[in-house]
Amino acid sequence: MSGILFLLILGGAIFLLLKVQLSNNLRKQANVNEAKFLVSLLAKVAKSDGRVGELEARLISQVLDDLSKKVSGVSGVREYLKDVYNSQKENVDNAYETARNYKRAFNLNYDICVARLTFFLNLAYIDGEFNASEQAVIRNIAYGFGIDKDTLDEIILKFDNFYSSRFKTNSNTGIEKNDPFEVLGLSKSANFDEVKLRYKELEIGRASCRE
C-alpha cells in the first residue's frame, strides 16, 4: 500500500512539475514573440533613413542583449532576434501592420503603446534629425498602436523642442553639435543601462513640463 501511495505522490509531483515547466515554456515563448515584435519595429525605425549611426548600432546591439536575457533559457534566442532584425530592416512598408498585430497579440494598453513609441522616437531622433522617411515609419507605428494624429503631433513637437535645443550650431566655430552621446550628456563609454536611465530621466522631465 505504501508503495502505491508513493507512486501516486510521485506521479502527482511529476504532473505538477510538468505543468509548471509547461507554463514556464509558454511564458518564455510569449516573451520571445513579444521580443520579435519589438525588434521588428526597431529595425524599421533604425533603417528608415537608409543608414544606422554609431549610437543606433550600439543601442540595437544592447537591446538584443537585453531582450535575450529576459528570455534566458531559450537557446539561440539572440541569434534568432538578430535574424529578425536583419530581415525586418529590409521591409519598412509594413510598420503599421506590425504595430497593429503587436498590440492585438499582447493586448497592449494605450500607455504601453505610447511608451513603446517614445523609445522608437528616441532612436529616430538620436542622430540629430527626424527626416521624412523616419516620420513616415513612426506615424505608421503610432497609427498601428491606435495613437491618434493629434496626440502623435504633440509628442513629436516635444521631441523636436528637446532635441533641437541639443543639436545646435556653435556660434563661435560654426560646427554643429551632433554627437549623440554629447546630446544625451553621456560619455562614449556609457553602457546601455546608463543610456536607458538617461532616457527615463528625459521622459520624467518631459512629463513634468506637461504638468
Side-chain angles (χ1 to χ4, degrees), residues 164-175:
S164 63
S165 68
R166 284 158 174 76
F167 284 97
K168 57 187 177 182
T169 301
N170 186 304
S171 58
N172 295 325
T173 64
I175 299 174

Side-chain angles (χ1 to χ4, degrees), residues 129-178:
E129 65 175 334
F130 187 44
N131 61 38
S133 298
E134 291 171 322
Q135 291 178 36
V137 171
I138 287 293
R139 287 192 179 277
N140 283 333
I141 292 174
Y143 297 155
F145 279 155
I147 299 172
D148 62 89
K149 182 179 182 300
D150 289 342
T151 300
L152 175 61
D153 288 343
E154 181 182 353
I155 294 172
I156 289 176
L157 178 60
K158 294 182 186 301
F159 271 82
D160 278 336
N161 292 337
F162 171 77
Y163 278 101
S164 63
S165 68
R166 284 158 174 76
F167 284 97
K168 57 187 177 182
T169 301
N170 186 304
S171 58
N172 295 325
T173 64
I175 299 174
E176 187 180 1
K177 179 184 177 183
N178 58 3

Side-chain angles (χ1 to χ4, degrees), residues 75 84 123 166 185 196 199 204:
S75 61
V84 169
L123 183 68
R166 284 158 174 76
K196 288 193 294 184
Y199 276 147
I204 292 172

Side-chain angles (χ1 to χ4, degrees), residues 28-173:
K28 288 178 182 178
Q29 185 59 51
N31 289 340
V32 171
N33 290 340
E34 183 169 14
K36 178 182 177 180
F37 277 115
L38 287 169
V39 170
S40 296
L41 293 172
L42 186 74
K44 298 176 195 307
V45 174
K47 200 63 187 297
S48 58
D49 60 355
R51 59 189 176 84
V52 179
E54 178 188 358
L55 184 56
E56 284 180 311
R58 281 189 59 187
L59 282 173
I60 291 162
S61 178
Q62 291 291 345
V63 166
L64 293 178
D65 289 342
D66 205 33
L67 290 174
S68 299
K69 290 176 183 176
K70 292 184 185 302
V71 290
S72 60
V74 180
S75 61
V77 66
R78 195 190 188 286
E79 291 76 13
Y80 169 72
L81 293 177
K82 186 175 181 180
D83 288 341
V84 169
Y85 173 84
N86 288 330
S87 64
Q88 290 297 313
K89 71 180 182 181
E90 304 302 330
N91 184 12
V92 300
D93 295 331
N94 66 347
Y96 173 85
E97 290 80 6
T98 303
R100 182 186 60 185
N101 292 339
Y102 175 26
K103 180 184 178 182
R104 289 178 175 176
F106 291 90
N107 195 26
L108 303 182
N109 63 38
Y110 191 80
D111 288 342
I112 291 178
C113 288
V114 170
R116 296 289 188 270
L117 183 71
T118 296
F119 175 75
F120 297 135
L121 270 167
N122 275 309
L123 183 68
Y125 270 89
I126 200 63
D127 61 356
E129 65 175 334
F130 187 44
N131 61 38
S133 298
E134 291 171 322
Q135 291 178 36
V137 171
I138 287 293
R139 287 192 179 277
N140 283 333
I141 292 174
Y143 297 155
F145 279 155
I147 299 172
D148 62 89
K149 182 179 182 300
D150 289 342
T151 300
L152 175 61
D153 288 343
E154 181 182 353
I155 294 172
I156 289 176
L157 178 60
K158 294 182 186 301
F159 271 82
D160 278 336
N161 292 337
F162 171 77
Y163 278 101
S164 63
S165 68
R166 284 158 174 76
F167 284 97
K168 57 187 177 182
T169 301
N170 186 304
S171 58
N172 295 325
T173 64

